[in-house]
Amino acid sequence: MNNQETKNVLFLHHSTGKNIWQGGDNFITKVKGKLGFRSAVEKWFKQYNKRNGTFYVIEDKEFPKKSPYGWKNYPYDYYNIWVKNGDKDYYMEEPTLKTLAPKYDLIIFKHCYPASRIVFDGEPDIDSDRKMIENYKMQYAAIQEELLKYPDTKFLLWTPPALTKAKTNPEAAQAATDFSNWVVNEWDKPGDNIYVWDFRILETEGGNYLLPKNAAGERDSHPSHSFSRTVYPLFCQRIVDVLESNGDSGNVTGR
């Protein structure tokens, strides 16, 4: 692992996470004499480190990649890569926790908004990629057990992003909210190395849908630029809470 002064953080994401990572924008900076981009989150941590004398190093990674595994980061996929194939270093070129955990003090992972497209038909099956709540809960139980095998690494999970009202139905939206509440209130246990950032409630303000003011469009469930600018500091604060052993006592939204 790392020395006490340095904390290495990895953020695994796709497009929704990228919006928050960028804070609705990119910041142009100079890196080794060349112009480059520094995300809003990276800039926030640079300023935090300067003010507090800390050395928190955060990086991001698309996970899983589009190829060869596929652009899918739902409960089944973390279960498939990290649990079913957790004895390997890599599965379909994606790193398992056996590879990732020794490198990082904190690993952040999430799903994209199609995780909220809940379906209700079919038999529960932990090895199924059908977006059923029963499957999700079995997969989350297995993921939790796997994360606990790496007590020297902390894990921060986002609650599933919401869909706009135009892209779902009342039953699926309610089921997705119920699952998110279950993650926060039952799945997440105090005193271990697993923590939650309640992204969904920031999007919905306690309802079942991504609010129009927070959405990229009526039928686009990505977070808007303005919403991303508003909440990325909350994401950063939640990371700090977890790194500084306040993950159980801090607000799950980062407020």
Side-chain angles (χ1 to χ4, degrees):
M1 193 52 70
N2 310 294
N3 63 45
Q4 191 172 2
E5 291 74 31
T6 304
K7 298 291 185 183
N8 290 323
V9 180
L10 177 64
F11 176 35
L12 304 174
H13 66 80
H14 282 171
S15 55
T16 296
K18 184 177 181 180
N19 283 20
I20 307 304
W21 174 255
Q22 294 178 341
D25 203 353
N26 271 328
F27 294 88
I28 298 177
T29 187
K30 208 167 186 179
V31 181
K32 295 182 180 179
K34 298 181 180 179
L35 285 178
F37 290 101
R38 185 186 298 277
S39 73
V41 171
E42 289 170 301
K43 185 177 181 181
W44 191 97
F45 273 97
K46 181 180 180 181
Q47 294 170 342
Y48 184 89
N49 287 335
K50 186 176 181 180
R51 289 194 311 269
N52 295 278
T54 50
F55 194 54
Y56 300 154
V57 180
I58 186 166
E59 61 183 278
D60 73 315
K61 177 183 177 67
E62 290 183 342
F63 183 92
K65 301 182 297 294
K66 291 181 180 178
S67 178
Y69 184 86
W71 200 245
K72 301 169 291 184
N73 65 351
Y74 308 116
Y76 169 79
D77 303 293
Y78 286 106
Y79 162 75
N80 189 28
I81 297 169
W82 285 355
V83 180
K84 286 186 70 177
N85 294 281
D87 59 329
K88 306 177 179 70
D89 293 331
Y90 290 85
Y91 175 69
M92 296 185 72
E93 299 183 14
E94 299 298 340
T96 64
L97 293 179
K98 186 178 178 181
T99 295
L100 291 175
K103 298 178 181 178
Y104 296 98
D105 297 278
L106 172 61
I107 296 173
I108 307 160
F109 64 108
K110 61 174 295 299
H111 314 301
C112 276
Y113 56 78
S116 290
R117 291 176 182 154
I118 305 301
V119 298
F120 301 95
D121 58 319
E123 290 296 320
D125 181 1
I126 193 172
D127 292 313
S128 171
D129 63 359
R130 288 186 63 75
K131 296 180 175 67
M132 296 172 58
I133 296 300
E134 296 88 347
N135 294 346
Y136 281 6
K137 287 186 175 182
M138 288 190 290
Q139 290 154 1
Y140 262 51
I143 292 167
Q144 183 181 58
E145 185 176 342
E146 191 70 19
L147 302 183
L148 292 172
K149 293 178 183 178
Y150 299 92
D152 293 331
T153 299
K154 295 179 178 180
F155 298 91
L156 179 60
L157 169 69
W158 291 27
T159 50
L163 294 163
T164 64
K165 192 171 185 178
K167 296 296 290 183
T168 186
N169 60 71
E171 294 76 19
Q174 182 64 59
T177 296
D178 291 345
F179 176 70
S180 181
N181 291 337
W182 174 83
V183 170
V184 173
N185 297 315
E186 297 186 45
W187 180 82
D188 183 33
K189 307 290 186 185
D192 61 16
N193 60 328
I194 305 169
Y195 305 89
V196 170
W197 183 46
D198 198 351
F199 178 69
R200 185 184 182 89
I201 203 167
L202 293 171
E203 289 190 304
T204 65
E205 297 184 5
N208 290 337
Y209 306 104
L210 174 57
L211 296 178
K213 67 179 182 179
N214 296 334
E218 181 183 0
R219 302 185 66 81
D220 186 344
S221 299
H222 287 95
S224 68
H225 290 302
S226 61
F227 177 75
S228 299
R229 283 193 294 272
T230 299
V231 303
Y232 86 83
L234 303 179
F235 177 43
C236 296
Q237 183 58 55
R238 186 63 179 144
I239 294 170
V240 168
D241 286 346
V242 171
L243 288 174
E244 298 182 356
S245 300
N246 297 316
D248 286 333
S249 58
N251 191 300
V252 291
T253 64
R255 295 194 187 278

